[in-house]
Coordinates of all heavy atoms in Angstrom, one line a residue:
S33 N 93.8 122.0 64.5 CA 92.6 121.1 64.3 C 92.9 119.6 64.6 O 92.1 118.8 64.6 CB 92.2 121.1 62.8 OG 93.3 120.8 61.9
C34 N 94.2 119.3 65.0 CA 94.6 118.0 65.3 C 93.9 117.4 66.6 O 93.9 118.1 67.6 CB 96.1 117.9 65.4 SG 96.7 116.2 65.7
I35 N 93.4 116.2 66.5 CA 92.9 115.6 67.7 C 94.0 114.9 68.5 O 94.8 114.2 67.9 CB 91.8 114.5 67.3 CG1 90.6 115.1 66.7 CG2 91.4 113.7 68.5 CD1 89.6 114.2 66.1
L36 N 94.1 115.2 69.8 CA 95.1 114.6 70.7 C 94.4 113.6 71.5 O 93.5 113.9 72.3 CB 95.7 115.7 71.5 CG 96.4 116.9 70.8 CD1 97.0 117.8 71.8 CD2 97.5 116.4 69.8
A37 N 94.8 112.3 71.3 CA 94.1 111.3 72.1 C 95.2 110.6 73.0 O 96.3 110.5 72.7 CB 93.5 110.2 71.1
S38 N 94.7 110.0 74.1 CA 95.5 109.3 75.0 C 95.1 107.8 75.1 O 93.9 107.6 75.2 CB 95.5 109.9 76.4 OG 96.3 109.1 77.3
N39 N 96.1 107.0 75.1 CA 95.8 105.5 75.3 C 95.8 105.2 76.8 O 95.9 104.0 77.2 CB 96.8 104.7 74.6 CG 96.5 103.2 74.7 OD1 95.4 102.8 74.5 ND2 97.6 102.4 74.9
T40 N 95.7 106.2 77.7 CA 95.7 105.9 79.1 C 94.6 104.9 79.5 O 93.5 104.9 78.9 CB 95.5 107.1 79.9 OG1 95.5 106.8 81.3 CG2 94.3 107.9 79.6
S41 N 94.9 104.0 80.4 CA 93.9 103.0 80.9 C 93.1 103.4 82.1 O 92.1 102.8 82.4 CB 94.6 101.7 81.1 OG 95.7 101.9 82.1
T42 N 93.6 104.5 82.8 CA 92.9 104.9 84.0 C 92.8 106.4 84.2 O 91.9 106.9 84.9 CB 93.6 104.3 85.3 OG1 95.0 104.7 85.3 CG2 93.5 102.8 85.3
L43 N 93.8 107.2 83.7 CA 94.0 108.6 84.1 C 93.0 109.5 83.5 O 92.7 109.4 82.3 CB 95.4 109.1 83.8 CG 96.5 108.3 84.4 CD1 97.9 108.8 83.9 CD2 96.5 108.3 86.0
P44 N 92.4 110.4 84.2 CA 91.3 111.3 83.7 C 91.8 112.1 82.5 O 92.8 112.8 82.5 CB 91.0 112.2 84.9 CG 91.4 111.4 86.1 CD 92.6 110.6 85.7
I45 N 91.0 112.1 81.5 CA 91.3 112.8 80.2 C 91.2 114.3 80.4 O 91.9 115.1 79.9 CB 90.3 112.4 79.1 CG1 90.4 110.9 78.9 CG2 90.6 113.1 77.8 CD1 91.8 110.4 78.5
G46 N 90.2 114.8 81.2 CA 90.1 116.2 81.5 C 91.3 116.9 82.0 O 91.7 118.0 81.7
E47 N 92.0 116.1 82.9 CA 93.3 116.7 83.5 C 94.4 116.8 82.4 O 95.1 117.8 82.4 CB 93.7 115.8 84.6 CG 94.9 116.4 85.4 CD 95.3 115.7 86.7 OE1 94.5 114.9 87.1 OE2 96.4 115.9 87.2
L48 N 94.4 115.8 81.5 CA 95.4 115.9 80.4 C 95.1 117.1 79.5 O 95.9 117.8 79.1 CB 95.4 114.6 79.6 CG 96.2 113.4 80.1 CD1 95.9 112.2 79.2 CD2 97.6 113.8 80.1
A49 N 93.8 117.3 79.3 CA 93.4 118.4 78.4 C 93.7 119.8 78.9 O 93.8 120.7 78.2 CB 91.8 118.3 78.1
S50 N 93.9 119.9 80.2 CA 94.1 121.2 80.9 C 95.4 121.8 80.4 O 95.6 123.0 80.6 CB 94.1 121.0 82.4 OG 95.2 120.3 82.8
V51 N 96.3 121.0 79.9 CA 97.6 121.6 79.4 C 97.7 121.8 77.9 O 98.8 122.2 77.4 CB 98.8 120.6 79.9 CG1 98.8 120.5 81.4 CG2 98.7 119.3 79.1
T52 N 96.6 121.7 77.2 CA 96.6 121.9 75.8 C 95.9 123.2 75.4 O 95.3 123.9 76.3 CB 95.8 120.7 75.1 OG1 94.4 120.8 75.5 CG2 96.3 119.4 75.5
K53 N 96.0 123.6 74.2 CA 95.4 124.8 73.7 C 93.9 124.7 73.5 O 93.2 125.7 73.6 CB 96.1 125.2 72.4 CG 97.6 125.5 72.5 CD 98.2 125.8 71.2 CE 99.7 126.0 71.3 NZ 100.4 126.2 70.0
D54 N 93.4 123.6 73.1 CA 92.0 123.4 72.8 C 91.5 122.1 73.3 O 91.7 121.0 72.8 CB 91.8 123.4 71.2 CG 90.4 123.4 70.8 OD1 89.5 123.3 71.7 OD2 90.1 123.4 69.6
A55 N 90.8 122.2 74.5 CA 90.3 121.0 75.2 C 89.3 120.2 74.4 O 89.1 119.0 74.6 CB 89.7 121.4 76.5
S56 N 88.6 120.9 73.4 CA 87.6 120.2 72.6 C 88.2 119.1 71.7 O 87.5 118.3 71.2 CB 86.8 121.2 71.8 OG 87.6 121.7 70.7
K57 N 89.5 119.2 71.5 CA 90.2 118.3 70.6 C 90.9 117.1 71.3 O 91.6 116.4 70.7 CB 91.2 119.0 69.8 CG 90.7 120.1 68.8 CD 89.9 119.4 67.7 CE 89.4 120.4 66.7 NZ 88.6 119.8 65.6
V58 N 90.6 117.0 72.6 CA 91.3 116.0 73.5 C 90.3 114.9 73.8 O 89.1 115.2 74.2 CB 91.8 116.6 74.7 CG1 92.5 115.5 75.6 CG2 92.9 117.7 74.4
I59 N 90.7 113.6 73.7 CA 89.9 112.5 74.0 C 90.7 111.3 74.4 O 91.9 111.3 74.2 CB 89.1 112.2 72.7 CG1 87.8 111.3 73.0 CG2 90.0 111.5 71.6 CD1 86.9 111.2 71.8
G60 N 90.1 110.3 75.0 CA 90.8 109.1 75.3 C 90.5 108.0 74.3 O 89.3 107.8 73.9
L61 N 91.5 107.3 73.8 CA 91.3 106.1 73.0 C 92.1 105.0 73.6 O 93.3 104.8 73.4 CB 91.9 106.4 71.6 CG 91.1 107.4 70.7 CD1 91.8 107.5 69.3 CD2 89.6 107.0 70.5
H62 N 91.4 104.2 74.4 CA 92.0 103.2 75.2 C 92.0 101.8 74.5 O 90.9 101.2 74.4 CB 91.3 103.1 76.6 CG 91.9 102.0 77.5 ND1 91.1 101.4 78.5 CD2 93.1 101.4 77.5 CE1 91.8 100.5 79.1 NE2 93.0 100.5 78.6
F63 N 93.1 101.4 74.0 CA 93.2 100.1 73.3 C 93.6 99.0 74.4 O 94.0 99.4 75.5 CB 94.4 100.1 72.3 CG 94.0 100.9 71.1 CD1 94.2 102.3 71.1 CD2 93.6 100.3 69.9 CE1 93.9 103.1 70.0 CE2 93.3 101.1 68.8 CZ 93.5 102.5 68.8
F64 N 93.3 97.8 74.1 CA 93.5 96.7 75.1 C 94.6 95.7 74.6 O 94.8 95.6 73.4 CB 92.2 96.0 75.3 CG 91.2 96.9 76.0 CD1 90.5 97.8 75.3 CD2 91.0 96.9 77.4 CE1 89.6 98.7 75.9 CE2 90.1 97.7 78.0 CZ 89.4 98.6 77.2
S65 N 95.2 95.1 75.6 CA 96.3 94.2 75.2 C 95.8 92.8 74.8 O 95.0 92.2 75.5 CB 97.3 94.0 76.5 OG 97.7 95.2 76.9
P66 N 96.4 92.2 73.7 CA 97.3 92.9 72.8 C 96.5 93.7 71.8 O 95.5 93.2 71.2 CB 98.0 91.7 72.1 CG 97.0 90.6 72.2 CD 96.2 90.8 73.5
A67 N 96.9 94.9 71.5 CA 96.1 95.8 70.7 C 95.8 95.3 69.3 O 94.7 95.6 68.8 CB 96.8 97.2 70.6
R68 N 96.7 94.6 68.7 CA 96.4 94.1 67.4 C 95.3 93.1 67.3 O 94.7 92.9 66.3 CB 97.7 93.4 66.8 CG 98.1 92.1 67.6 CD 99.5 91.6 67.1 NE 99.8 90.4 67.9 CZ 100.3 90.4 69.1 NH1 100.5 91.5 69.8 NH2 100.6 89.2 69.7
A69 N 95.0 92.4 68.4 CA 94.0 91.3 68.4 C 92.7 91.7 69.1 O 91.6 91.2 68.8 CB 94.6 90.1 69.1
M70 N 92.8 92.5 70.2 CA 91.6 92.8 71.0 C 90.6 93.8 70.2 O 91.1 94.8 69.8 CB 92.0 93.4 72.3 CG 92.8 92.5 73.2 SD 91.8 91.1 73.8 CE 90.9 91.8 75.1
P71 N 89.4 93.4 70.1 CA 88.5 94.2 69.3 C 88.0 95.5 69.9 O 87.6 96.5 69.3 CB 87.3 93.3 69.0 CG 87.3 92.3 70.2 CD 88.8 92.1 70.5
L72 N 88.0 95.6 71.3 CA 87.4 96.7 72.0 C 88.3 98.0 71.9 O 89.5 97.9 72.0 CB 87.2 96.3 73.4 CG 86.5 97.4 74.3 CD1 85.1 97.6 73.8 CD2 86.5 96.9 75.8
L73 N 87.6 99.1 71.7 CA 88.3 100.4 71.9 C 87.4 101.3 72.7 O 86.3 101.7 72.3 CB 88.5 101.0 70.5 CG 89.1 102.4 70.5 CD1 90.5 102.4 71.2 CD2 89.3 103.0 69.1
E74 N 87.9 101.6 73.9 CA 87.2 102.5 74.8 C 87.4 103.9 74.4 O 88.6 104.4 74.4 CB 87.6 102.2 76.2 CG 86.7 102.7 77.3 CD 87.1 102.2 78.7 OE1 88.3 102.0 78.9 OE2 86.2 102.0 79.5
I75 N 86.4 104.7 74.1 CA 86.5 106.1 73.7 C 86.0 106.9 74.9 O 84.8 106.8 75.3 CB 85.7 106.4 72.4 CG1 86.3 105.5 71.3 CG2 85.7 107.8 72.1 CD1 85.5 105.7 70.0
I76 N 86.9 107.7 75.4 CA 86.6 108.4 76.7 C 86.4 109.9 76.4 O 87.3 110.6 75.9 CB 87.6 108.3 77.7 CG1 87.9 106.8 78.0 CG2 87.3 109.0 79.0 CD1 89.1 106.2 77.4
R77 N 85.2 110.4 76.6 CA 84.8 111.8 76.4 C 84.8 112.5 77.8 O 84.4 111.9 78.8 CB 83.5 112.0 75.7 CG 82.4 111.3 76.5 CD 81.0 111.6 75.9 NE 80.0 110.9 76.6 CZ 79.4 111.2 77.7 NH1 79.8 112.4 78.3 NH2 78.5 110.5 78.3
F78 N 85.1 113.8 77.8 CA 84.8 114.6 79.0 C 84.0 115.8 78.6 O 83.7 116.0 77.4 CB 86.1 114.9 79.8 CG 87.0 116.0 79.2 CD1 87.1 117.3 79.8 CD2 87.6 115.8 78.0 CE1 87.8 118.3 79.2 CE2 88.4 116.8 77.4 CZ 88.5 118.0 78.0
H79 N 83.7 116.7 79.5 CA 82.6 117.7 79.2 C 83.0 118.6 78.1 O 82.2 119.2 77.4 CB 82.3 118.4 80.5 CG 83.4 119.2 81.1 ND1 83.8 120.4 80.7 CD2 84.3 118.8 82.1 CE1 84.9 120.8 81.4 NE2 85.2 119.9 82.2
S80 N 84.4 118.8 77.9 CA 84.8 119.7 76.8 C 85.0 119.1 75.5 O 85.3 119.8 74.5 CB 86.0 120.5 77.3 OG 85.8 121.3 78.4
T81 N 85.1 117.8 75.4 CA 85.3 117.1 74.1 C 84.2 117.4 73.2 O 83.0 117.2 73.5 CB 85.4 115.6 74.3 OG1 86.4 115.3 75.3 CG2 85.8 114.9 73.0
S82 N 84.5 117.8 72.0 CA 83.5 118.2 71.0 C 82.8 117.0 70.4 O 83.4 115.9 70.3 CB 84.1 119.1 69.9 OG 84.9 118.3 69.1
K83 N 81.6 117.2 69.9 CA 80.9 116.2 69.2 C 81.7 115.7 67.9 O 81.7 114.6 67.5 CB 79.5 116.6 68.8 CG 78.6 116.8 70.0 CD 77.2 117.3 69.5 CE 76.2 117.5 70.7 NZ 74.9 117.9 70.3
E84 N 82.3 116.7 67.3 CA 83.1 116.4 66.1 C 84.3 115.5 66.4 O 84.6 114.6 65.6 CB 83.6 117.7 65.4 CG 82.5 118.6 64.8 CD 81.7 119.4 65.9 OE1 82.2 119.5 67.0 OE2 80.6 119.8 65.5
T85 N 84.9 115.8 67.5 CA 86.0 114.9 67.9 C 85.6 113.5 68.2 O 86.2 112.5 67.8 CB 86.7 115.5 69.2 OG1 87.3 116.8 68.8 CG2 87.8 114.6 69.7
I86 N 84.5 113.4 68.9 CA 83.9 112.1 69.2 C 83.5 111.3 67.9 O 83.9 110.2 67.8 CB 82.7 112.2 70.1 CG1 83.1 112.8 71.5 CG2 82.0 110.9 70.3 CD1 81.9 113.2 72.4
Q87 N 82.8 112.0 67.0 CA 82.4 111.4 65.8 C 83.6 110.9 65.0 O 83.6 109.8 64.4 CB 81.5 112.3 65.0 CG 80.9 111.7 63.7 CD 80.0 110.5 64.1 OE1 79.2 110.6 65.1 NE2 80.1 109.4 63.3
T88 N 84.6 111.7 64.9 CA 85.8 111.4 64.1 C 86.4 110.1 64.7 O 86.8 109.2 64.0 CB 86.9 112.5 64.1 OG1 86.3 113.6 63.5 CG2 88.1 112.1 63.4
C89 N 86.5 110.0 66.0 CA 87.2 108.8 66.7 C 86.3 107.6 66.5 O 86.8 106.5 66.4 CB 87.4 109.1 68.1 SG 88.8 110.4 68.3
L90 N 85.0 107.8 66.5 CA 84.1 106.6 66.2 C 84.3 106.1 64.8 O 84.4 104.9 64.6 CB 82.6 107.0 66.4 CG 82.2 107.2 67.9 CD1 80.8 107.9 67.9 CD2 82.1 105.9 68.6
E91 N 84.5 107.0 63.9 CA 84.7 106.6 62.5 C 86.1 105.9 62.3 O 86.2 104.9 61.6 CB 84.6 107.8 61.6 CG 83.2 108.3 61.5 CD 83.1 109.7 60.7 OE1 84.1 110.1 60.2 OE2 82.0 110.2 60.6
V92 N 87.1 106.5 63.0 CA 88.4 105.9 63.0 C 88.4 104.5 63.6 O 89.0 103.5 63.0 CB 89.4 106.8 63.8 CG1 90.8 106.0 64.0 CG2 89.7 108.0 63.0
S93 N 87.7 104.3 64.7 CA 87.5 103.0 65.3 C 87.0 102.0 64.3 O 87.5 100.8 64.2 CB 86.6 103.1 66.5 OG 86.4 101.8 67.1
K94 N 85.9 102.3 63.6 CA 85.4 101.4 62.6 C 86.3 101.1 61.5 O 86.4 100.0 61.0 CB 84.0 101.9 62.1 CG 83.0 102.0 63.3 CD 81.7 102.7 62.8 CE 80.7 102.9 63.9 NZ 79.5 103.6 63.5

Side-chain angles (χ1 to χ4, degrees):
S33 61
C34 180
I35 294 172
L36 302 181
S38 176
N39 183 45
T40 178
S41 55
T42 57
L43 302 176
I45 301 301
E47 188 172 345
L48 277 175
S50 68
V51 299
T52 67
K53 298 175 182 177
D54 185 357
S56 72
K57 296 292 183 181
V58 179
I59 198 166
L61 292 180
H62 178 205
F63 291 80
F64 295 81
S65 302
R68 66 187 180 280
M70 294 293 279
L72 182 65
L73 176 59
E74 196 170 33
I75 298 178
I76 304 103
R77 59 174 175 80
F78 76 111
H79 61 85
S80 295
T81 306
S82 70
K83 292 181 179 179
E84 292 75 18
T85 297
I86 294 169
Q87 186 59 43
T88 298
C89 290
L90 286 168
E91 291 172 2
V92 168
S93 176
K94 294 173 184 176

